[in-house]
């Protein structure tokens, strides 16, 4: 890219209680210079083998090397790239990974878990992270898809459909352990209000009430709340955020693990410009999106293509089709009925390298789906959260 791209650090969206302070000023831009996209190597393309006219076939004296007498004779050629070479990503040091939020956000922790040693790139919005990867400002993005308590992050499902040049190349699960943070010297009994992301506040509602904290202030992200409290030196407001945020912004941890439910896990997707090569020697998951014709039992029939092949579905999400939000039903009624038209997002436990999965998708596409896209086929995260 000829110009640099600016990724904006998020600032709190202030929802003050009675007598609250005025809205804080917006944060400055963080500029990240775009780099030129790397040349991609397609492992599915055949590798060229030396022949009579190839320079690689000549010996050190310029005399052509002898040609084997039989096709069965082995030829010493460079080893072709394998899927293990391309999907291992053993060297992630310096890889630029975009995430939504301020430094210290849970998304940053997920990015570092997914790509150890990476260079994290904070983005103000989810869409900014998508755009950062598309424009080569970042190499990857790690963004939340669902939380065990709060459910799906619908915005990212919509963005997956819009940014069709990006592919899901992995998933990572992260245990969310909320802490109550405040400025140095502030005690829990001094706090009148708690500031954080709306989901974080909801996940800690009972604990905050038990601690005597009455008011809630919703902002864009958890780390942004910690940053704002530290910058404004607030004495009566605490932040619900991570221990990393406390370390980054010099705050005290007044209470740990304040979430109402201890089993609080967020699943993140890993996005890249190029898909990885699917394998069958380890657990894989495939994510798709499709739409169907109107009619009784259409969804049942569509899902049967997986059941008949004993493919397990792990998630299903429906979202209104934004390009066709309403559909007129032909029910032979005097007044036409209008229904929402939906897209269906499905995750299933199989690799796209598995002929069984390929047959299921071919069956779905040919018999039932009016639209079908594979969002990614990637290793299942089996690590500890």
């Amino acid at each position: 890219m000829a110009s640099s791209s600016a990724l904006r650090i998020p600032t709190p969206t202030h929802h003050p209680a009675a007598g609250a302070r005025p809205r804080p000023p917006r944060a400055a831009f963080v500029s990240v210079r775009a780099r030129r996209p790397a040349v991609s190597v397609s492992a599915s393309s055949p590798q060229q083998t030396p022949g009579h006219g190839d320079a690689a076939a000549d010996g050190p004296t310029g005399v052509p090397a002898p040609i084997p007498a039989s096709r069965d004779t082995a030829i010493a050629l460079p080893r072709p790239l394998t899927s293990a070479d391309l999907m291992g990503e053993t060297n992630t040091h310096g890889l630029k990974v975009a995430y939504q939020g301020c430094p210290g956000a849970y998304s940053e922790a997920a990015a570092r878990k997914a790509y150890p040693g990476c260079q994290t790139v904070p983005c103000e919005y989810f869409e900014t992270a998508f755009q950062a990867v598309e424009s080569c400002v970042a190499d990857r993005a790690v963004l939340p898809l669902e939380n065990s308590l709060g459910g799906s992050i619908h915005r990212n499902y919509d963005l997956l459909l819009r940014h069709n040049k990006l592919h899901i190349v992995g998933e990572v699960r992260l245990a969310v352990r909320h802490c109550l943070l405040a400025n140095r010297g502030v005690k829990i009994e001094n706090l009148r209000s708690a500031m954080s992301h709306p989901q974080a506040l909801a996940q800690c509602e009972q604990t905050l009430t038990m601690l005597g904290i009455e008011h809630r202030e919703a902002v864009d992200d958890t780390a942004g709340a910690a940053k704002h409290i530290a910058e404004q030196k607030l004495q009566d407001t605490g932040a619900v955020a991570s221990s990393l945020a406390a370390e980054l912004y010099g705050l005290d941890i007044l209470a740990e693990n304040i979430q109402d439910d201890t089993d609080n896990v967020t699943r993140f997707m890993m996005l890249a410009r190029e898909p990885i090569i699917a394998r069958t020697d380890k657990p894989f998951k495939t994510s798709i999106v499709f739409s169907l014709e109107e009619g009784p039992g259409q969804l049942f029939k569509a899902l049967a293509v997986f059941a008949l092949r004993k493919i397990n579905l792990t998630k299903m999400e429906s979202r209104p089709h934004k390009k066709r939000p309403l559909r007129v039903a032909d029910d032979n009624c005097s007044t036409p009925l209008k229904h929402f038209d939906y897209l269906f997002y499905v995750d299933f436990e199989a690799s796209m390298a598995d002929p069984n999965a390929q047959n299921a998708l071919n069956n779905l596409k040919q018999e039932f789906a009016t639209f079908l896209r594979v969002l990614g086929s990637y290793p299942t995260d089996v690590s500890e959260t």
Side-chain angles (χ1 to χ4, degrees):
M1 293 172 58
S3 62
S4 62
S5 297
L7 305 180
R8 299 175 60 192
I9 285 183
T11 55
T13 302
H14 202 53
H15 301 281
R21 293 155 300 281
R23 181 188 298 268
R26 297 186 66 83
F29 287 88
V30 173
S31 178
V32 180
R33 183 170 300 279
R35 64 173 179 80
R36 302 181 72 88
V39 177
S40 61
V41 178
S42 174
S44 59
S45 302
Q47 234 179 328
Q48 187 178 3
T49 56
H52 292 286
D54 296 325
D58 293 342
T61 60
V63 179
I67 296 184
S70 169
R71 290 187 179 182
D72 296 331
T73 306
I75 304 176
L77 297 176
R79 182 179 65 83
L81 289 175
T82 67
S83 57
D85 295 329
L86 296 184
M87 71 170 291
E89 299 222 63
T90 54
N91 183 18
T92 60
H93 184 76
L95 202 68
K96 290 184 177 180
V97 181
Y99 68 94
Q100 186 274 330
C102 283
Y106 291 106
S107 292
E108 183 183 24
R112 295 190 183 281
K113 181 181 179 183
Y115 299 104
C118 69
Q119 177 185 341
T120 54
V121 181
C123 301
E124 182 172 17
Y125 303 113
F126 289 132
E127 185 158 21
T128 312
F130 276 84
Q131 293 170 345
V133 180
E134 273 189 337
S135 59
C136 300
V137 173
D139 304 297
R140 303 285 188 275
V142 174
L143 298 167
L145 271 182
E146 59 180 338
N147 175 264
S148 57
L149 302 181
S152 297
I153 291 84
H154 298 123
R155 177 62 176 158
N156 283 335
Y157 279 97
D158 295 338
L159 289 171
L160 272 172
L161 192 64
R162 181 185 304 175
H163 295 269
N164 55 15
K165 294 181 181 179
L166 300 184
H167 308 270
I168 303 177
V169 295
E171 66 174 3
V172 60
R173 295 177 301 148
L174 184 75
V176 178
R177 298 181 175 90
H178 292 305
C179 300
L180 180 61
L181 315 180
N183 281 299
R184 299 285 166 84
V186 175
K187 307 296 183 184
I188 290 181
E189 52 267 26
N190 302 137
L191 299 178
R192 294 178 53 253
S193 180
M195 178 184 294
S196 192
H197 187 278
Q199 276 203 6
L201 292 174
Q203 292 166 8
C204 304
E205 178 64 31
Q206 295 179 18
T207 305
L208 292 173
T209 301
M210 184 182 64
L211 293 173
I213 302 173
E214 302 176 356
H215 302 292
R216 311 285 185 264
E217 297 183 47
V219 294
D220 289 341
D221 76 291
T222 55
K227 181 174 183 286
H228 176 64
I229 286 173
E231 289 178 345
Q232 300 300 315
K233 297 180 172 57
L234 303 182
Q235 301 298 304
D236 61 350
T237 303
V240 176
S242 66
S243 57
L244 176 60
E247 180 182 342
L248 288 176
Y249 301 112
L251 299 176
D252 282 344
I253 299 177
L254 304 186
E256 295 181 286
N257 294 324
I258 64 171
Q259 60 273 3
D260 299 332
D261 193 325
T262 55
D263 296 325
N264 186 5
V265 178
T266 299
R267 184 170 73 97
F268 294 80
M269 62 178 171
M270 299 147 66
L271 289 177
R273 288 181 294 276
E274 298 292 337
I276 63 172
I277 297 177
R279 296 164 57 174
T280 57
D281 60 344
K282 63 188 304 184
F284 254 66
K285 183 182 291 184
T286 299
S287 297
I288 63 172
V289 57
F290 62 89
S291 60
L292 299 170
E293 289 286 358
E294 176 68 24
Q298 285 295 102
L299 180 58
F300 171 80
K301 296 173 186 176
L303 298 182
V305 305
F306 302 103
L308 292 173
R309 294 170 176 86
K310 301 186 184 306
I311 297 175
N312 185 42
L313 305 185
T314 59
K315 181 177 175 62
M316 183 169 181
E317 183 84 17
S318 63
R319 297 287 294 154
H321 199 317
K322 296 195 178 214
K323 293 184 178 179
R324 295 184 303 171
L326 289 175
R327 167 184 289 173
V328 178
D330 185 13
D331 293 337
N332 297 321
C333 298
S334 56
T335 304
L337 299 177
K338 292 185 178 180
H339 304 288
F340 278 111
D341 201 4
Y342 287 96
L343 290 166
F344 299 96
Y345 293 83
V346 170
D347 293 347
F348 59 86
E349 291 180 332
S351 167
M352 281 302 296
D354 183 353
N356 203 32
Q358 296 173 12
N359 291 336
L361 293 188
N362 284 335
N363 190 182
L364 176 63
K365 183 176 181 180
Q366 294 172 6
E367 300 292 334
F368 307 109
T370 58
F371 163 79
L372 172 64
R373 179 185 299 164
V374 177
L375 301 172
S377 190
Y378 47 91
T380 302
D381 181 17
V382 295
S383 65
E384 294 293 327
T385 57

